[in-house]
Amino acid sequence: MARLNWGMIGGGEGSQIGPAHRLGAQADGNFVLAAGALDHDADRGRAYAQSLGVAPDRAYGDWQEMLAGEAGREDRVDLVTVATPNSTHFEITKAFLEAGFNVLCEKPMTMTVEEGEEIVKIAKASGKICAVNYCYSAYPMVREMREMVRTGQVGRVRLIVTNFSHGHHGDASDADNPRVRWRYDPAMAGVSGQFADCGIHALHMASFIAGDQVRTLSADFASTIPSRELEDDAMVNFRMEGGTVGRLWTSSVAIGRQHGFDIQVFGETGGMRWRSEEPNQVYYTPVGGRTQIMEKGEGGLSDEAARLSRVAIAHPEGFPLAVANIYVDLAASIRGARRDGLPTAEHGLRSMAAVHQAVASAKADGAWVDARPPSLR
Ligand code: NAD
């Protein structure tokens, strides 16, 4: 099968998420990095793209130059990844969708709900794929949990408890470090700090595994380091359309926790637990029975978990391969297949609505609010 041409915006040298995209997109031979505007500094971006094998005429200085350059080519990129800081996602994603490109946008997809609604509309009108990188949902054992819920193995889901709490911004003496400070500055980060940064991964995963959507929420936000205008800790209670009760804690001051993303799903006939730091195992307990450890790569897992697992049982398979699973499904979708696990612009929009409604709830002392975007109520 012919390789697909792939372009990247952001994710330059030294960026946090850039390497995971490059490893992920190119892991399965589906995509080749053909074009890029990788850095906010044009010269650095051009030089770095060329060092990664991009032809000089497709190593662009900025995304506008890339849009103009790629739009006119017969071998234009089949997919554009947007891995720039949050405040730029909307205009770049919008421009590329309108010009007929497929887009994978980093989370959060936009800064406002209105922008999110617009991206969903443009994506629908263009007929192009607009995916959002909720990559944790592509771990094989997370897919296994979703299949277990779907096939009734834990019964109706009563309760989901999830955390995405780390301690990497817990040092008050480092709060003014420019790499940390912007995340709590509304001018750079928008209306929410930690919840928009990490909490939305947990909220998305709760919906993903339960096969249901968040309907209402009540939030308590705190800036535990007082110089921070935006929250560095949040507790969000939620209810899903089907009645599932949700509890979500997200924090960046939980010193001692490293990555700190985990989820527990409690159904009428069983419970399950998964942790990002131990992503190859799901702990499953049937009601009245013993806890079992289910391993990625073992026999008897769902087709979906087997499809997305490539390394033999007991060998580590981590974050870049979860990102690779997003690209596997993107490549299949671009080639015309349907992949129902792929996170879309609609998921990106739901997250933005949840973020803005959580801010409103926190300002109203935790009042319960409708978490859904206006167009999906
Ligand atoms: P970063 O600051 O480490 O890197 C950003 C990169 O984008 C840099 O190379 C910078 O030069 C480049 N850049 C900035 N503005 C640009 C522009 N206008 N045009 C081209 N390049 C530009 O940031 P990061 O931590 O890699 O985060 C980038 C995005 O990825 C954010 O939206 C973040 O929320 C998201 N992210 C997602 C995950 C995930 O798990 N899905 C993890 C980390 C980050």
Side-chain angles (χ1 to χ4, degrees), residues 8-19 21 37-41 44 61-64 82-89 91-92 106-108 133-136 164 179 182-183 196-197 201 259 319 323:
M8 201 178 178
I9 302 168
E13 191 168 19
S15 65
Q16 190 189 158
I17 199 68
H21 280 283
L38 301 183
D39 205 287
H40 68 273
D41 178 311
R44 267 173 55 101
D62 59 46
W63 67 265
Q64 290 92 340
V82 180
T84 49
N86 304 355
S87 60
T88 62
H89 292 175
E91 60 170 353
I92 302 175
E106 263 305 343
K107 46 56 58 179
N133 193 29
Y134 289 112
C135 47
Y136 299 98
F164 196 152
R179 293 205 66 158
W182 74 265
R183 293 166 189 276
D197 193 27
H201 274 300
H259 190 251
F319 186 72
V323 176

Side-chain angles (χ1 to χ4, degrees), residues 107 191 279 333 340 370:
K107 46 56 58 179
V191 294
S333 304
D340 78 339
D370 196 324

